[in-house]
Amino acid sequence: MCASTAFRSFSLLGGGVCATLLGVLFGMPSLRIRGLYLAVATLAAQFFVDWFTNRVPWVSNHSSSGSVSAGRLEILGQSIDTPVQRYLLCLAFLAVFALLAKNLVRGAVGREWMAMRDMDVAATVIGIRPVYAKLSAFAVSSFIVGVAGALWGFVHLGAWEPAAFNLDRSLQLLFMIIIGGLGSISGSLFGAAFFVLLPLVLNQVPHALGLPISTATASHLEHMVFGALIVFFLIVEPHGLARLWSTARQKLRIWPFPH
């Protein structure tokens, strides 16, 4: 019983470590490719993981349905059962990882990442090691996403199954970053909040206004809004909601006397 509890306590970090290993493995092609080809390489990783989890029985603990119960989550002997406890746990991980990412971006490692992002040839000329910079970026981002995936299984689903981590989920994460703002920590928070709040608004506001709208119509409208916003932000404002928020905050700071 104690061993099982201790194992579950470290399952969240274990998910991050496994994701880090896969991220570094599939990040190796990034040393020679860039742009659209890099996106295709990471997409290939998604298809490989889907194939692997559906074809190797021990991944799903030889379950015939492919779904494995996640068990009760315990941290340092404390059971995480109530919705408030689960929310506070996720909020704690969010705060820690946001602070970690912000300090990494401010430090030497983050400067190397930004230099490689802007112009890898120039970054190499000034002495930045592309192998270290690119693989460290893959490792850190994969670890954070791996822990988030473990939280998704333990806290939200209560089980683990490959269908919960399919291509649609990966694309949803990508769209969060595009709408929230590329290259911004606050943008990822804005994007995630937008993806959660928009379906609620589309379902509640029409009914509050007395407009008859079915669930299917709201779902289709949701996809249309997301698609239009993705195209808008890619063309007009690549920095997304984070830049719009920054601009609005600066204008409010000097309002009503702009001069």
Side-chain angles (χ1 to χ4, degrees), residues 199-232:
L200 297 177
V201 171
L202 293 178
N203 286 321
Q204 299 298 329
V205 171
H207 293 288
L209 297 177
L211 299 176
I213 181 173
S214 64
T215 304
T217 303
S219 178
H220 294 314
L221 185 61
E222 175 185 338
H223 286 86
M224 292 172 60
V225 172
F226 280 135
L229 287 176
I230 290 170
V231 174
F232 170 79

Side-chain angles (χ1 to χ4, degrees), residues 22-250:
L22 285 175
V24 171
L25 176 64
F26 286 99
M28 291 180 180
S30 68
L31 304 178
R32 291 185 174 273
I33 58 178
R34 61 178 62 89
L36 177 62
Y37 299 100
L38 179 58
V40 173
T42 54
L43 185 62
Q46 171 72 47
F47 285 111
F48 172 79
V49 172
D50 286 344
W51 174 87
F52 184 81
T53 54
N54 285 291
R55 295 297 187 277
V56 180
W58 62 263
V59 175
S60 57
N61 198 24
H62 298 275
S63 174
S64 58
S65 63
S67 178
V68 182
S69 176
R72 187 176 61 181
L73 181 60
E74 295 183 1
I75 304 295
L76 300 177
Q78 178 66 37
S79 298
I80 310 297
D81 297 325
T82 65
V84 174
Q85 291 176 331
R86 295 178 179 181
Y87 171 78
L88 293 177
L89 175 65
C90 295
L91 182 62
F93 273 99
L94 172 63
V96 170
F97 284 140
L99 183 62
L100 172 65
K102 189 171 184 178
N103 283 277
L104 281 175
V105 171
R106 287 178 173 178
V109 176
R111 303 287 182 181
E112 292 182 356
W113 292 349
M114 289 185 284
M116 293 299 299
R117 177 197 64 190
D118 295 337
M119 186 174 294
D120 54 353
V121 176
T124 304
V125 170
I126 64 176
I128 295 177
R129 297 170 294 174
V131 175
Y132 173 79
K134 291 185 177 183
L135 291 185
S136 62
F138 269 94
V140 172
S141 59
S142 298
F143 179 81
I144 295 175
V145 174
V147 175
L151 286 172
W152 175 261
F154 273 105
V155 175
H156 183 73
L157 299 177
W160 184 95
E161 57 180 351
F165 304 91
N166 55 13
L167 180 61
D168 291 339
R169 184 66 56 194
S170 298
L171 293 177
Q172 188 179 42
L173 295 175
L174 176 62
F175 297 155
M176 287 181 185
I177 301 300
I178 294 175
I179 294 177
L182 298 173
S184 171
I185 297 174
S186 60
S188 61
L189 302 179
F190 280 122
F194 186 84
F195 260 74
V196 173
L197 295 178
L198 180 62
L200 297 177
V201 171
L202 293 178
N203 286 321
Q204 299 298 329
V205 171
H207 293 288
L209 297 177
L211 299 176
I213 181 173
S214 64
T215 304
T217 303
S219 178
H220 294 314
L221 185 61
E222 175 185 338
H223 286 86
M224 292 172 60
V225 172
F226 280 135
L229 287 176
I230 290 170
V231 174
F232 170 79
F233 283 117
L234 285 176
I235 297 176
V236 179
E237 185 53 80
H239 296 287
L241 295 174
R243 174 59 63 86
L244 297 179
W245 167 252
S246 178
T247 303
R249 187 175 57 183
Q250 292 178 0

Side-chain angles (χ1 to χ4, degrees), residues 4-17 70 73 146-147 150 154:
S4 177
T5 300
F7 179 77
R8 286 198 297 268
S9 299
F10 288 99
S11 296
L12 300 177
L13 298 180
V17 172
L73 181 60
V147 175
F154 273 105

